[in-house]
Amino acid sequence: MKRLFLLAGLMLSATTVHAQDKVTIEFVYPYSAIFDVTYEAILPRFQEAHPNIEVKFRASYEEYEDASNTILREAVSGNLPDVTMQGLNRQQILVENDIAQPLDPFIAKEADFEVEGYHPAMLQLSTFDDQVYGLPFSVSLPVGFYNTAMMQDAGIDGFPATWDEVIAACGTLREAGYENPIFWDWQITGNWLFQALMWSQDKPIVEGNAMTLDSPEALVALQTIQKIVNECGMKNLSVEEAITSFTSGEIPMLFSSTSYVGRISRGNADLAFTTASFPGIDGAPLGLPAGGNAAMMTSTSDDPAVRAAAWEWIKFLTSGEGAADVARTTGYMPPNRAANELILADFYDRYPEKASAVEQLPLMREWQAYPGANGLAITQVIYDGLERLVTGEQPDMEELQQELVDEVAELLPH
């Protein structure tokens, strides 16, 4: 009997120790409509591999601007998560404000880190002052989405390679009875597609601490958007309305992030659609901005166990298997060699609609953050300017360009 009590006591003691050894980390990510299904796939495998780590999910960010603003507020209030997903163009502000922590000390302890698939070119997206502050989780490039049945019905063979060809296709589609033939996602986070039009001309929107909104390329970008809006008769839908309209077979052409592939497929499994390369100005684009997000450590815990657990979560998310789930559930490219070359060996043959971004990888350029502490405000100024363009409030592109130049100049560091 004494032995039974002793065994029971030992078992209770072991259980107590095991419970005490469990570490909880807090995690938050943007775009629940895109990524919920991804984390639903990843989390059970992580829990199986790390039963002593509990990942507590906070309410998701709406988009990348919300992610940046929220983290900046939480840094002031002392309520930071242990791991956060931030847009590739929003990492720098966390580095400059000493919110994000370098991952090099953790990477240094990993054996064969690059062999696990972390491609140096992808790591460069999250490297500042020669230190790695994030591991890219998902990478996208802009593409064209096409309803193949509607395009064929209008007699359009192939897919437009330039915006002039897109506009010509709009005319053909309208003649065939499609009143709203296009949506160009001008509202997308971080002025991403505006930067795409700039990079298409091999012109960055930021050079050093200056912006190039006064350049001929910026004027061409504005004029191109105006032609898409006016000559295609594009309606000013919200992004949600546009995706729903495309998914339901009302819009033949949609231009946005390849990340929407999974969402569109889940929204209408019977929809016949494909993707193709993003059109250029006078030919193929000379460059395109890399979209997506990276996992960053923002833990303020003094407990080494918490920080170690946060690193295990970051590492698992961006590993070959974790990155492969990104491709399987969304349209993002996994920024991990192991996922692209091994786990997903025949994936893009089976799902060609997810391959367009991969085919454009040689065009990948930086999704640029705007200089100084007012980067988010500059993003809003450009957004507001594009809204005036799309709604027709400002029909003169040279005037609009000057308005943007003047408004942004007040926000740049001096």
Side-chain angles (χ1 to χ4, degrees):
M1 181 65 71
K2 286 182 179 179
R3 180 174 175 79
L4 288 175
F5 280 125
L6 176 62
L7 287 173
L10 288 172
M11 290 174 64
L12 179 60
S13 175
T15 302
T16 303
V17 170
H18 180 74
Q20 289 175 342
D21 286 345
K22 190 148 190 169
V23 178
T24 299
I25 60 172
E26 295 196 351
F27 171 67
V28 60
Y29 63 93
Y31 293 114
S32 60
I34 294 175
F35 286 112
D36 279 357
V37 65
T38 306
Y39 292 110
E40 286 170 6
I42 291 175
L43 185 60
R45 291 207 307 277
F46 179 79
Q47 290 174 325
E48 183 178 356
H50 300 278
N52 64 318
I53 300 175
E54 178 186 357
V55 182
K56 182 179 178 181
F57 284 66
R58 292 188 180 183
S60 61
Y61 309 122
E62 290 184 15
E63 26 73 1
Y64 294 139
E65 279 75 32
D66 180 41
S68 292
N69 281 320
T70 301
I71 280 288
L72 291 171
R73 287 197 304 271
E74 289 170 342
V76 174
S77 64
N79 186 35
L80 287 167
D82 297 295
V83 179
T84 178
M85 287 293 183
Q86 293 287 319
L88 294 178
N89 68 325
R90 299 299 178 197
Q91 298 174 94
Q92 186 172 342
I93 193 169
L94 272 66
V95 174
E96 291 175 347
N97 284 275
D98 296 322
I99 297 171
Q101 297 150 34
L103 300 177
D104 302 80
F106 297 97
I107 293 172
K109 295 177 183 177
E110 296 290 334
D112 302 322
F113 186 73
E114 285 193 13
V115 175
E116 291 296 320
Y118 298 95
H119 198 292
M122 294 296 186
L123 285 180
Q124 199 60 39
L125 296 172
S126 297
T127 299
F128 303 88
D129 295 328
D130 297 323
Q131 288 188 297
V132 176
Y133 282 87
L135 293 185
F137 174 65
S138 56
V139 175
S140 65
L141 287 169
V143 296
F145 292 79
Y146 300 93
N147 183 309
T148 51
M150 295 167 80
M151 298 290 281
Q152 290 170 3
D153 177 60
I156 299 173
D157 296 321
F159 303 106
T162 68
W163 293 109
D164 284 341
E165 292 179 14
V166 169
I167 291 165
C170 283
T172 303
L173 287 161
R174 295 180 80 178
E175 289 175 3
Y178 299 108
E179 294 181 4
N180 189 23
I182 189 173
F183 183 76
W184 190 88
D185 194 358
W186 68 271
Q187 303 165 62
I188 198 165
T189 182
N191 314 138
W192 193 52
L193 287 195
F194 185 75
Q195 289 198 26
L197 291 180
M198 295 287 287
W199 276 122
S200 292
Q201 304 169 77
D202 204 25
K203 185 70 172 180
I205 198 170
V206 178
E207 292 179 342
N209 283 324
M211 293 192 63
T212 61
L213 288 169
D214 58 349
S215 65
E217 291 86 356
L219 180 59
V220 168
L222 293 172
Q223 291 169 336
T224 300
I225 301 169
Q226 186 181 48
K227 285 196 293 184
I228 293 169
V229 172
N230 292 348
E231 298 184 35
C232 286
M234 188 182 91
K235 294 180 181 178
N236 185 25
L237 304 176
S238 70
V239 176
E240 294 298 322
E241 290 170 335
I243 292 175
T244 300
S245 295
F246 184 85
T247 303
S248 63
E250 296 173 12
I251 295 178
M253 300 188 295
L254 182 149
F255 296 91
S256 191
S257 167
T258 185
S259 63
Y260 290 153
V261 171
R263 186 176 175 187
I264 290 170
S265 298
R266 290 190 296 273
N268 184 353
D270 297 324
L271 182 68
F273 80 97
T274 191
T275 63
S277 298
F278 198 67
I281 303 291
D282 295 319
L286 300 176
L288 291 171
N293 55 65
M296 307 185 81
M297 188 181 295
T298 53
S299 179
T300 57
S301 174
D302 294 328
D303 187 347
V306 171
R307 294 168 61 78
W311 168 246
E312 290 299 329
W313 176 237
I314 290 173
K315 190 171 61 169
F316 193 90
L317 285 175
T318 59
S319 69
E321 278 292 348
D325 277 328
V326 174
R328 293 184 185 115
T329 57
T330 70
Y332 281 105
M333 296 174 286
N336 187 299
R337 245 182 345 224
N340 273 323
E341 296 176 8
L342 300 176
I343 300 168
L344 300 175
D346 64 343
F347 179 77
Y348 293 110
D349 292 331
R350 289 184 286 123
Y351 301 98
E353 68 275 13
K354 297 189 177 187
S356 294
V358 176
E359 293 164 359
Q360 296 180 126
L361 270 175
L363 301 177
M364 190 171 68
R365 303 290 187 271
E366 181 186 0
W367 184 13
Q368 293 183 298
Y370 303 135
N374 294 320
L376 289 168
I378 292 172
T379 300
Q380 188 63 46
V381 166
I382 296 174
Y383 178 98
D384 292 342
L386 295 178
E387 185 172 38
R388 294 198 298 274
L389 186 166
V390 172
T391 59
E393 180 184 335
Q394 174 50 282
D396 188 316
M397 293 304 96
E398 291 184 357
E399 285 187 9
L400 177 58
Q401 180 183 30
Q402 192 58 53
E403 289 170 5
L404 293 175
V405 169
D406 293 342
E407 290 179 54
V408 167
E410 296 180 5
L411 297 169
L412 291 171
H414 298 288

